[in-house]
Amino acid sequence: MRSEAGPIGIFDSGYGGLTILHGIRQLLPQYDYLYLGDNARAPYGPRSFDVVYEFTLQAVTRLFEMGCHLVILGCNTASAKALRTIQQKDLPKLDAQRRVLGIIRPTAEVIGSLTQSRHVGIFATEGTIKSESYNLEIHKLFPDITVSGVACPFWVPLVEYNEADSPGADYFVKKRIDQLMRMDPQIDTVILGCTHYPLLLPKIHKYIPRGVRIVAQGEYVANSLQQYFERHPAVEQKCTRGGRVHYLTTENPDKFKEQAQLFLHEPVEVENITLG
């Protein structure tokens, strides 16, 4: 693996991690970024822990090989199902100086300052909800907070098929919001625990009860990364600064370009790679 400084790696099973990349670039535009989407094998949400771990490790290893010293799992499912094992078991063997970070912990850390009622809701994929990763992270930091989660299996396809603004999306968004608020009417803060979901924000705001705060992750992950660099200057010094972004996909590059514009609102150059 290359030892010289390199870009910051951002990995996601698909396109949703682009919302994380966008949030980070808004705050930290000076760094170089290498985005890898495993679009050919998405979605990860319904897959088992073992498969998500295997696929995520393949992606992290490839990003390390391409010069990244820091990789952010811009995917809630990978953060929930693979991050801890990679950090504890694989990093010491791959390279103890490199780092892999997730996006669940940074979101959990800010929740205590956002909720007044101490009742928090989560919208996420089935895999993230079943893992209870948000519940565990929030309760470690704030044992007094009650957490309720709802899986939203149709929300990702709505985004990826460019139906987020369609009348049909209203039904699926309202259904899950109503379900969550029935579970706990005292919820005053809701985490969007999937990186696709910010593209549904207009519909979510339409149906969420007045006064309920919606937490999209990009901004909070970016702030957390900035603070991480302040605490770990040796890691920050291994990240090149050129303001460049390069995109990789395991799927058709033309399809990725088309989808990426939904998330980034700018044209991208992308190349195909193979994992596994």
Side-chain angles (χ1 to χ4, degrees):
M1 292 184 189
R2 288 161 25 197
S3 58
E4 66 269 20
I8 298 168
I10 312 272
F11 169 68
D12 185 30
S13 58
Y15 303 102
L18 294 169
T19 62
I20 300 297
L21 172 62
H22 177 72
I24 293 173
R25 286 179 68 202
Q26 293 287 105
L27 185 65
L28 303 167
Q30 67 270 35
Y31 296 100
D32 293 324
Y33 298 93
L34 183 59
Y35 182 91
L36 169 55
D38 189 11
N39 307 86
R41 301 189 293 195
Y44 279 17
R47 294 187 182 273
S48 70
F49 272 73
D50 289 344
V51 170
V52 171
Y53 161 68
E54 178 190 345
F55 288 178
T56 304
L57 180 60
Q58 289 170 0
V60 167
T61 303
R62 177 62 64 87
L63 287 167
F64 282 171
E65 289 168 351
M66 297 182 79
C68 300
H69 289 262
L70 170 66
V71 173
I72 297 166
L73 304 185
C75 172
N76 285 277
T77 304
S79 295
K81 294 184 174 182
L83 175 64
R84 193 174 301 278
T85 306
I86 289 173
Q87 287 176 331
Q88 295 177 352
K89 175 183 152 190
D90 299 296
L91 270 183
K93 291 185 288 186
L94 289 169
D95 186 337
Q97 301 306 309
R98 298 188 192 234
R99 295 290 179 266
V100 181
L101 304 177
I103 58 175
I104 292 176
R105 177 82 183 195
T107 313
E109 286 173 344
V110 300
I111 284 301
S113 63
L114 300 179
T115 174
Q116 299 296 314
S117 70
R118 315 308 278 175
H119 290 254
V120 170
I122 299 160
F123 293 126
T125 65
E126 183 182 358
T128 299
I129 294 296
K130 282 186 174 176
S131 76
E132 298 196 337
S133 294
Y134 273 100
N135 309 51
L136 294 168
E137 289 293 340
I138 291 171
H139 285 145
K140 271 188 223 166
L141 300 165
F142 310 105
D144 62 313
I145 292 180
T146 299
V147 182
S148 304
V150 167
C152 307
F154 291 103
W155 286 20
V156 167
L158 284 171
V159 171
E160 296 207 344
Y161 287 102
N162 202 13
E163 296 288 333
D165 296 324
S166 71
D170 288 66
Y171 169 80
F172 294 105
V173 171
K174 183 177 186 301
K175 180 178 181 180
R176 297 308 177 191
I177 289 174
D178 291 348
Q179 180 184 349
L180 181 66
M181 299 312 296
R182 279 196 305 271
M183 289 172 70
D184 184 356
Q186 294 186 64
I187 287 170
D188 72 348
T189 306
V190 175
I191 297 168
L192 300 186
C194 172
T195 51
H196 281 69
Y197 296 175
L199 274 74
L200 289 162
L201 271 171
K203 301 289 190 192
I204 293 168
H205 283 302
K206 184 176 176 181
Y207 294 108
I208 203 83
R210 183 171 300 192
V212 175
R213 180 197 289 263
I214 305 297
V215 178
Q217 295 174 289
E219 172 191 350
Y220 299 104
V221 172
N223 288 332
S224 179
L225 178 59
Q226 185 177 52
Q227 293 161 15
Y228 181 85
F229 280 157
E230 290 168 1
R231 295 194 309 271
H232 301 90
V235 177
E236 192 271 342
Q237 287 162 18
K238 287 287 190 178
C239 301
T240 52
R241 295 165 171 253
R244 298 177 293 265
V245 189
H246 190 64
Y247 298 89
L248 307 167
T249 178
T250 56
E251 242 281 9
N252 182 302
D254 291 331
K255 184 181 177 189
F256 185 95
K257 280 184 191 178
E258 184 181 325
Q259 288 284 329
Q261 292 199 41
L262 296 174
F263 290 84
L264 300 174
H265 309 293
E266 66 182 24
V268 303
E269 290 301 316
V270 60
E271 68 175 286
N272 176 265
I273 67 162
T274 301
L275 295 176

